[in-house]
Amino acid sequence: MKMVASAALAAAILVGGSISAYATDRGGVMTYGRYADSLFLDPVLNDANVDIWILSNLYDTLLLPTDDGQGVQAGLATEWKVSDDGMTVTLKLRDGIKFSDGSPIEASDVIWSLKRAAKPDNGIWGFLVSAIKDVTSGADGSIVISLSRPDPSIIPALTVFNTAIMPEKLFEAMPGKDDAEKAKAFAEHPVGSGPFMFQSWERGSTMKLVKNPYYWAMGDDGKPLPYLDGVTFEVIPDDATRILRLQSGELDGAEFIPYARVAELKADPKLDMNLYPSTKIEYVTLNVRPQVDGKDNPLSNVKVRQALNYATNKDAIIQIVTQGVGSPMKSFMSSATPLNSGTGPLFPYDLDKAKSLLAEAGYKDGFSIDLLVLAGNQDETGIATALQQMWAAAGVKLNLKQVDNATRTDLYRSGKFSMRLGAWTDDIADPSEITSYFAYSPTIESQHSGWKSEEVDKLFEQSQSERDPAKRTAQYARIQEIANAEGPMVYLYESPYPVALSKKVKGFIQIPLGNNIFRAASLTK
Amino acid sequence: MSLFFLRRLIQLIPTLAFILVVVFVLVRLLPGDPTSAILGDRALDADVARINHDLGLDRSIPVQFVLFLKAVATGNLGNSITLKLPVTTLIAQRLPVTVMLTVMAALMSLVMAVPLAFVAALRRDELADSAIRGTFQVGLSMPVFYLGLILLTVFGARLGWFPVGGYGDSFGEHIYHLFLPAFTLALSLAAILMRNLRAAIIGVVGAEYVVFARSKGIMPGVILMRHVLRSALISTVSLFGLSVGTLLGGAVITETVFAIPGAGRLMIDSIYGRDYPVVQGMTMALAVVVSLTFFLTDVVEAWLDPRVAR
């Protein structure tokens, strides 16, 4: 495996992202409107996007994801190498790196942080680094990660939030009898080595981050990043209010702009309406068990599942729900996920084919079935009512069951559902995460659908320790071929992250994995 | 008299205990559990089981209740499952915000309702009366979230007189930030109070003792303040007290529209997140607030009409 990168290359990538004709303005505090507040700022023990998507501003990782979310670049480590047998990763730490309190980042902090992330039963993200057996430091101060098996996703895993480097001594000095209690205390005023450091947090309202004076990366003026003096997050759950505050100039940016308002904000001369490429997909999960709630389940027949896919006019749904900003899915994983093998939209709309497939499956007169919809969610309601009409044309009567999220999760996890709407984003620049949840049955029975393909399961297990990239690509191509054709899904669309920024803001990005990256953001004076 | 108040206070205890039991059980009977709600669709069974065990949620409801009561006895309402903070801390942070919003809204509605009710009653069926009633009717029938957005758009974004949501950092800023949301809430309550008070004044103005007072040559202003207002207010005060619960309910929506970090929003998030300890603690705190309001209403009513306390 050729996963070696020199510091020069990494630096070239970094600078390349921020080259501009004139120097970037420094200073100022960027105020960013979020739809919901963070919950728990611990890299390992958190469990929600509201944390994950901002953590990288506070905590640095050994490696960083590239802006397209598909590759890796240098972070706290400047060089990395996977041994020929695939069992060891050796990394060289950057010189002179410090935490935001000024204390040096030692190899012991790295070892402790990675071991904490890989410890079984510590949080829910351990599976991303489950191959880590031990972490030690070499004689030259390098970091040596020993693996229990070759793991092709170990390099991208070192860019993921849960492998962030934390100050061991500070953490261990927190009050509390165990890791969980110490984490609670630590996360109230976290210290990391990201471009920003924590200043204050009023729950449900405001979180203030200020510039970390010890951050290692350089801006295009040759001085350390970040350009901003700080970032302030304001929690504004109501979409209309969030947009109003942006328009009135009280915010410099606002996330999750409803699609219905994208065109309007694009026309606003004071704003930049961005649609950042994402790994977000929307789909229907189909329960494929022979029986659901003691009744025969038509969805257990693969022809019925294919018929529903053909009966779904994706382009129409994309127009109705995303106002045209979405695109049809080419595979069960997003186009931004590495090793996506899709070539064209899956199951192009074909009502006649849908009808004949239903007839072949013995449902010439159709059937009636329930769909779980998140109550009060505009997108889901839009999708569900569109599906109801489209499928009625093929004779399938869709009953919409509105439930809240906890109820739906409960029904989903216990397999007591026929169909549900769902959305997903990747956390790692690798196809293994989504595949383990969507197609590999041992994890959660392929989205709790009961779908199982012996071949997919075997291929996935092989791919998890496959060292030859070409072979791994072929394994994933076959997995997608099977799962896309027979799997437990109706494919709806991929959609970008809609973020509106003031024209003053430059250099901000939300990468396909969802991370909001403020390190090269600046405010034009 | 003081015996009456003592009795009223003691009556609060079984009410609150009843609310506690009902909330404790109901929230656990909702489908789903906090662990699944937090971990979401990706949760593995092993993770859910482990965390449920750590939280003690794998025990029976009666056992959980006994443990909860023991903790409550020591002043510990537990920790929020999603926010990992003590519930008492959350109450201390969030409840004052909502109480302040509600108090401001209540005062504003009184300031609007009382004078206008007099005008409307004394100019009965004239243009002023119709105009006042008509305006309030619009305020009453407009949904809170819609009215809030209109006010935000006009007075916040367009005119820039008020901030577009948020809560501010100092007491002065709090008042400034809460002005629009409190006004939004106040309008519908003011409409109800105004109509009620107007009808009461019309009734009292025609009463024999007022006619008598007038015939004695007492100044009209004195008659209005001393005789009319006092007895007309009695039913309005009890209506006002009862409306506080509604006001708190309205605060939930107002807090979302205006991005105010109050108890209402926390409550909604906690119910969706099945954050049992927060739902329990917040319900109790809100129940105490409402109960105290009822108590105060009783006190005021007894002052206006001493027969109430007998």
Side-chain angles (χ1 to χ4, degrees), chain B residues 12 23 49 58 65 73 79 92 120 124 136 139 153 166 182 192 226 229-230 249 254 274:
Chain B
L12 291 182
V23 169
D58 51 353
F65 190 64
N79 285 324
R124 187 178 171 190
F136 273 126
T153 311
I192 298 169
R226 192 178 296 165
L229 183 61
R230 185 163 178 158
T254 320
R274 306 288 190 267

Side-chain angles (χ1 to χ4, degrees), chain A residues 38-40 47 121-125 184 188 202-205 208 235-238 240-241 244-245 248 250 404-407 409-410 412-413 420 424-427 433 437 443-444 448, chain B residues 31-33 36-45 47-48 50-51 79 82-85 93-94 149 152-153 156-157 162-166 169 256-259 261 265 271-272 274:
Chain A
S38 290
L39 301 169
F40 188 30
D47 25 48
D121 290 350
N122 203 27
I124 58 168
W125 303 106
K184 272 182 206 173
E188 282 305 291
E202 278 186 52
R203 298 282 191 145
S205 166
K208 291 183 175 159
V235 180
I236 308 154
D238 189 79
T241 311
L244 266 183
R245 292 196 71 177
S248 72
E250 289 174 44
D404 81 337
N405 195 35
T407 307
T409 304
D410 190 49
Y412 177 61
R413 291 191 52 248
R420 60 157 291 180
W424 166 281
T425 46
D426 297 344
D427 296 293
E433 185 191 22
Y437 281 98
T443 312
I444 54 166
H448 295 291
Chain B
D33 57 43
S36 307
I38 300 168
L39 301 185
D41 294 341
R42 305 189 188 188
L44 305 180
D45 289 342
D47 289 326
V48 173
R50 173 169 53 83
I51 295 172
N79 285 324
T82 12
L83 300 170
K84 328 267 190 233
L85 285 177
Q93 279 174 358
R94 301 294 192 94
L149 272 179
L152 268 185
T153 311
F162 291 98
V164 187
D169 293 324
T256 306
V257 173
F258 287 88
R265 235 173 80 197
I271 292 170
Y272 280 134
R274 306 288 190 267

Side-chain angles (χ1 to χ4, degrees), chain B residues 212-224:
Chain B
F212 178 67
R214 204 178 287 149
S215 69
K216 281 207 306 188
I218 299 177
M219 303 240 302
V222 178
I223 296 178
L224 278 185

Side-chain angles (χ1 to χ4, degrees), chain A residues 7-59:
Chain A
L9 177 63
I13 295 168
L14 270 182
V15 174
S18 52
I19 279 180
S20 58
Y22 34 87
T24 311
D25 284 324
R26 285 192 170 261
V29 174
M30 179 171 166
T31 309
Y32 193 73
R34 306 181 70 195
Y35 80 104
D37 198 8
S38 290
L39 301 169
F40 188 30
L41 299 174
D42 184 275
V44 174
L45 299 179
N46 74 78
D47 25 48
N49 283 344
V50 285
D51 296 319
I52 296 168
W53 289 2
I54 63 153
L55 276 177
S56 67
N57 296 294
L58 288 170
Y59 296 102

Side-chain angles (χ1 to χ4, degrees), chain B residues 79-95:
Chain B
N79 285 324
S80 159
I81 296 168
T82 12
L83 300 170
K84 328 267 190 233
L85 285 177
V87 173
T88 41
T89 309
L90 285 171
I91 293 176
Q93 279 174 358
R94 301 294 192 94
L95 192 63

Side-chain angles (χ1 to χ4, degrees), chain A residues 303-314 346-355 357 391 394 490:
Chain A
K303 285 185 177 159
V304 173
R305 301 201 290 274
Q306 290 168 341
L308 292 179
N309 269 297
Y310 280 119
T312 305
N313 186 341
K314 291 88 174 171
L346 294 171
F347 300 100
Y349 178 55
D350 188 338
L351 189 57
D352 292 333
K353 208 160 177 178
K355 282 180 182 165
L357 277 166
W391 292 354
V490 171

Side-chain angles (χ1 to χ4, degrees), chain A residues 404 406, chain B residues 27 30 33-34 37 80-83 87 90 94 262-283:
Chain A
D404 81 337
Chain B
V27 73
L30 286 173
D33 57 43
S80 159
I81 296 168
T82 12
L83 300 170
V87 173
L90 285 171
R94 301 294 192 94
R265 235 173 80 197
L266 178 67
M267 190 76 172
I268 292 289
D269 291 346
S270 306
I271 292 170
Y272 280 134
R274 306 288 190 267
D275 197 338
Y276 301 156
V278 180
V279 177
Q280 286 151 206
M282 268 299 169
T283 309

